[in-house]
């Protein structure tokens, strides 16, 4: 089965083809530069950029992969969560193709697709625990099958990536600041600056990063840290450490509930963070298990993860009708896939 995947939930337009579980072609257009001057994603601008880019990207994908539109067996598009205007562009394009080519359609949960993308390079293991850490989401899942995810915890306010982006922005680092903070932290001296670990004195698996964001900005203000300050690497290390330790604490708690689970999947843009990857790998090694994160390009939003999730679920017979809705962030995702024989 050849599955076309379309990702347009935020500020990256990604299209890819997956055939029999392998990526047969992928194209990605990042809008980062268009949004950077605003210090964050501007939803209206994002939708217009998706609308401008999606058609030409589809042509480039076909040209590069040598596939013809008629070769596509299934069309998968991100249905949410994300920015509604952006999601609608990808889904409308997917619906038009499904109608025009007379092929089935599947709406994909963006967060599940992030976690399932580990299957592109490794055989997926179930049951497992999944941790999504991105600019918009921080969530823990029990993963029992490709179509059976139970959310165990989520952020009550800001996502982990938001802490990096906003604290970095305050220090004069360009949006999105996570990668630069990760690089700078490698030159930092451990223990010179310390930030609080947020929302751990409770029994639940939820996160709350808004307090850490404020504490980090207050710390940077008090120390006068800007993009050329000599203590910037120490500040970045303190930020990395606070986020990594908080993620490990709650993920450890989730794993305590399921002692037989030995696999942790980690995905989303913040999963590219070297310190967080190491900390989660150590957490799992201590438990005799392993943390699996997709290759770095697959950690960010991309079309391959949607095409792969579409292929995986499509092979099992899951479909949506043309009435499938796009679901913005904050609205529950309907469980409305249809199983065809
Ligand atoms: O998953 P993603 O590409 O987009 C969504 O938010 O859905 O994640 C982007 C986020 C941004 O907040 C960015 O600063 C962060 O991932 N990020 C990182 C690193 N690379 C990207 N954060 C920490 N360390 C990194 N190396
Ligand atoms: Zn994402």
């Amino acid at each position: 089965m050849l599955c076309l995947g379309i990702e347009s939930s935020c500020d990256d337009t990604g299209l890819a083809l997956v055939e029999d579980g392998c990526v047969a072609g992928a194209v990605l257009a990042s809008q980062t530069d268009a949004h950077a001057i605003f210090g964050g994603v501007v939803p209206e601008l994002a939708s217009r950029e998706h609308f401008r880019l999606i058609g030409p990207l589809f042509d480039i994908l076909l040209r590069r992969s040598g596939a013809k539109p008629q070769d596509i067996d299934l069309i998968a598009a991100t249905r949410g969560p994300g920015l509604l205007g952006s999601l609608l562009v990808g889904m409308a394009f997917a619906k038009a193709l499904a109608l025009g080519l007379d092929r089935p359609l599947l709406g994909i949960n963006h967060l599940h697709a992030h976690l399932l993308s580990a299957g592109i390079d490794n055989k997926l293991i179930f049951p497992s625990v999944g941790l999504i850490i991105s600019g918009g989401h921080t969530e823990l899942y029990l993963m029992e099958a490709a179509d059976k995810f139970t959310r165990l915890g989520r952020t009550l306010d800001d996502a982990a990536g938001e802490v990096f982006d906003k604290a970095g922005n305050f220090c004069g680092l360009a949006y999105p600041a996570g990668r630069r903070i990760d690089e700078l932290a490698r030159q930092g001296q451990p223990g010179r600056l310390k930030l609080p670990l947020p929302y751990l004195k409770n029994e639940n698996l939820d996160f709350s990063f808004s307090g850490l964001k404020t504490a980090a900005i207050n710390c940077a203000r008090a120390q006068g840290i800007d993009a050329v300050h000599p203590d910037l690497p120490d500040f970045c290390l303190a930020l990395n450490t606070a986020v990594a330790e908080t993620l490990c604490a709650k993920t450890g708690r989730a794993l305590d509930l399921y002692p037989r689970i030995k696999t942790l999947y980690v995905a989303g843009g913040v999963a590219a963070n070297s310190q967080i990857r190491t900390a989660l790998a150590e957490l799992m090694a201590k438990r005799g298990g392993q943390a699996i994160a997709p290759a770095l390009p697959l950690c960010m939003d991309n079309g391959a993860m949607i095409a792969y999730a579409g292929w995986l679920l499509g092979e099992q017979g899951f479909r949506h009708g043309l009435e499938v809705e796009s679901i913005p962030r904050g609205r529950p995702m309907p469980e409305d896939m249809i199983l065809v024989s």
Side-chain angles (χ1 to χ4, degrees):
M1 175 189 279
L2 181 67
C3 179
L4 168 70
I6 301 172
E7 158 60 27
S8 70
S9 64
C10 190
D11 59 344
D12 294 304
T13 323
L15 278 79
L17 290 167
V18 161
E19 182 155 40
D20 302 332
C22 298
V23 180
V27 288
L28 185 69
S30 168
Q31 306 173 8
T32 306
D33 292 347
H35 298 278
I37 48 163
F38 301 103
V41 177
V42 182
E44 165 74 19
L45 179 59
S47 320
R48 279 192 270 144
E49 284 294 282
H50 287 303
F51 190 66
R52 186 173 70 82
L53 293 164
I54 199 160
L57 281 172
F58 181 60
D59 287 341
I60 295 170
L61 176 68
L62 292 183
R63 224 177 308 132
R64 281 200 197 151
S65 63
K68 292 186 216 47
Q70 295 74 18
D71 298 335
I72 298 168
D73 299 303
L74 173 71
I75 294 143
T78 302
R79 74 179 303 200
L83 301 170
L84 187 57
S86 294
L87 291 167
L88 288 172
V89 175
M91 187 56 88
F93 192 79
K95 287 185 179 185
L97 280 178
L99 257 176
L101 296 171
D102 192 22
R103 295 291 189 275
L105 177 71
L106 194 50
I108 301 292
N109 181 320
H110 176 88
L111 302 177
H112 297 186
H114 263 305
L115 291 170
L116 292 172
S117 71
I120 293 174
D121 294 324
N122 302 277
K123 190 177 158 13
L124 286 171
I125 299 163
F126 298 112
S128 43
V129 166
L131 173 67
I132 282 283
I133 32 178
S134 72
H137 299 275
T138 305
E139 306 206 342
L140 271 166
Y141 284 92
L142 169 65
M143 299 164 59
E144 291 175 275
D147 65 317
K148 191 153 187 245
F149 281 61
T150 309
R151 195 170 68 183
L152 303 173
R154 85 248 187 259
T155 181
L156 303 176
D157 39 57
D158 293 331
E162 169 93 0
V163 179
F164 288 118
D165 294 339
K166 289 288 153 55
N169 189 250
F170 182 85
C171 297
L173 302 179
Y175 169 85
R179 189 166 157 195
R180 187 74 191 116
I181 288 174
D182 189 12
E183 288 163 1
L184 286 163
R186 288 178 208 146
Q187 299 142 38
Q189 262 191 51
R192 280 206 55 214
L193 287 175
K194 205 161 166 51
L195 290 167
L197 304 189
Y199 201 61
L200 291 185
K201 292 188 186 119
N202 52 59
E203 297 291 305
N204 62 49
L205 299 176
D206 292 328
F207 300 91
S208 167
F209 281 109
S210 67
L212 175 60
K213 183 174 81 176
T214 309
I217 290 173
N218 286 344
C219 170
R221 187 182 289 119
Q223 307 282 331
I225 293 175
D226 59 20
V228 292
H229 196 284
D231 291 346
L232 180 62
D234 297 338
F235 174 74
C236 292
L237 180 58
L239 201 53
N240 255 3
T241 306
V243 175
E245 288 184 7
T246 305
L247 292 172
C248 282
K250 290 277 166 132
T251 306
R253 266 185 222 176
L255 289 155
D256 288 343
L257 295 178
Y258 306 98
R260 293 216 323 264
I261 291 184
K262 298 290 176 206
T263 309
L264 171 71
Y265 288 114
V266 191
V270 181
N273 185 284
S274 50
Q275 200 177 332
I276 293 172
R277 280 170 102 94
T278 306
L280 291 168
E282 283 169 3
L283 174 84
M284 290 311 292
K286 273 192 209 133
R287 290 166 180 263
Q290 55 174 344
I292 301 173
L296 286 190
L298 284 177
C299 283
M300 315 301 165
D301 288 348
N302 62 87
M305 69 183 197
I306 304 302
Y308 181 75
W311 171 81
L312 206 59
L313 294 165
E315 281 282 319
Q316 293 176 25
F318 289 108
R319 304 280 186 269
H320 275 117
L322 277 175
E323 70 285 353
V324 64
E325 276 189 283
S326 298
I327 308 295
R329 197 164 118 196
R331 228 176 88 190
M333 190 70 64
E335 302 230 344
D336 55 1
M337 285 193 298
I338 305 156
L339 190 56
V340 296
S341 50

